[in-house]
Amino acid sequence: MIKDQIEIVQSRIQAALSRVGRTDPVILIAVTKNHPVSSMRDAINNGIIHVGENKVQEALRKQEEFPDNGATWHLIGHLQTNKAKMAVSHFDLIHSIDSVHVLQAVQHAAAQIQKVQDILLQVNIAREESKFGMTVEDFPEICKLASTLPNVCVRGLMCIAPDMENVEDVRPIFRIAHALYENMKHTFMEGQIQYLSMGMTHDFEIAIEEGANMVRIGTAIFGSRNY
C-alpha cells in the first residue's frame, strides 16, 4: 500500500508542476511521525530518500532501529534549545529555526562538533498562535544575523499554512512565502538559498503551484497517525 501511495503522491506532484509550467524537481519528504519503523523501511525500500520527523527523540529511536538506511533526515517540528545538540548530531536539514534563541543554540551546538548545519528559517506568515515561526517583520533581521554565523548555512524558508476549510484560501500565504524566499537570495551567497519547504497532505498541490520545491507528506503516504 505504501508503494502505491508514494506513486500516487508523485503523480500529483508532477500534475501540479505541469499546471504551472514548471520543470524543476520537487523534493518529497515522507513524514514518519507516529508511524512505525516498518513503515519507514517500506517507504525507503520504495524509493523515498528524504525522511521527516517532528521530534528529535523519535528520530533517534528510529535511526537506532534502522541504521545505515541511506536517508536524508529532516527535522520539521519545533526545536527546543535544549535539544539543539542532539538535533545537530542527527539531522541533515533542520527546517524549524523559528527564533534568534534557536538559531544561536544550533550555531553553538554545530560549532562544538565542527559541523556546518544546514537550516531553514520558519516564518509564521498567518500569525497563528498555535504555530511556531518568526514574524514577517522579524524575518529580515534574523536573515542578516544568520548570514554572519559560521556554523549554520541557511538554505531557504519553511512555512506552515493554516488548515482552512477551503484549501484555496491558503494560496495567498504560500505566495507571500515565495516572495520572502526570493528576497532571501539577496542576503546570502549566490546559490545558497535553494529550498522552499511548504505544503502538506491537504495543501501540497497548491504549495507547488505557488513555488514550493520541498513538500512534507505524511498521511497521504502512511495513512492516519495513531496518537
Side-chain angles (χ1 to χ4, degrees):
M1 184 184 73
I2 287 176
K3 178 183 178 181
D4 294 340
Q5 293 304 110
I6 290 171
E7 290 177 355
I8 290 169
V9 169
Q10 292 283 20
S11 295
R12 291 170 64 186
I13 288 171
Q14 291 305 314
L17 288 169
S18 297
R19 284 195 293 273
V20 291
R22 288 177 56 186
T23 58
D24 56 308
V26 170
I27 294 173
L28 170 59
I29 302 171
V31 180
T32 58
K33 171 187 174 183
N34 284 86
H35 292 290
V37 172
S38 59
S39 295
M40 184 185 74
R41 182 182 289 109
D42 196 358
I44 291 173
N45 289 341
N46 283 285
I48 288 296
I49 300 172
H50 299 269
V51 172
E53 277 292 342
N54 284 60
K55 294 183 178 180
V56 175
Q57 295 96 323
E58 185 173 352
L60 267 58
R61 177 178 57 79
K62 289 176 177 176
Q63 289 173 0
E64 290 173 357
E65 290 186 42
F66 187 25
D68 303 322
N69 53 65
T72 297
W73 286 82
H74 300 252
L75 179 62
I76 62 173
H78 175 63
L79 175 60
Q80 296 174 310
T81 54
N82 63 349
K83 299 292 195 307
K85 185 176 181 179
M86 286 192 294
V88 167
S89 297
H90 291 86
F91 286 92
D92 299 291
L93 180 62
I94 300 174
H95 292 226
S96 48
I97 303 298
D98 55 19
S99 69
V100 169
H101 294 302
V102 173
L103 176 64
Q104 291 173 331
V106 169
Q107 158 61 31
H108 179 70
Q112 286 185 318
I113 61 171
Q114 298 182 326
K115 177 183 180 181
V116 177
Q117 176 67 54
D118 284 345
I119 64 171
L120 304 182
L121 300 180
Q122 181 180 355
V123 186
N124 187 351
I125 294 170
R127 302 177 186 274
E128 290 186 278
E129 293 185 3
S130 61
K131 290 187 174 70
F132 293 96
M134 62 192 74
T135 65
V136 172
E137 291 79 10
D138 289 341
F139 181 66
E141 287 302 315
I142 295 178
C143 281
K144 289 179 183 177
L145 172 61
S147 70
T148 69
L149 301 179
N151 293 93
V152 296
C153 181
V154 178
R155 304 305 305 276
L157 179 148
M158 190 261 265
C159 86
I160 303 173
D163 187 5
M164 296 183 175
E165 184 175 350
N166 180 1
V167 71
E168 279 290 329
D169 291 339
V170 305
R171 197 177 288 276
I173 301 296
F174 290 145
R175 200 162 288 169
I176 293 170
H178 183 261
L180 293 174
Y181 164 75
E182 290 296 331
N183 286 338
M184 292 176 76
K185 296 177 182 179
H186 301 297
T187 301
F188 298 93
M189 293 177 58
E190 184 176 355
Q192 181 174 326
I193 302 302
Q194 295 186 353
Y195 303 127
L196 178 54
S197 171
M198 61 185 190
M200 298 185 289
T201 289
H202 62 288
D203 58 15
F204 73 90
E205 289 154 305
I206 291 176
I208 290 170
E209 290 172 3
E210 295 298 335
N213 57 20
M214 190 174 270
V215 293
R216 312 177 301 270
I217 310 298
T219 303
I221 293 175
F222 300 107
S224 299
R225 294 184 179 91
N226 181 10
Y227 290 97

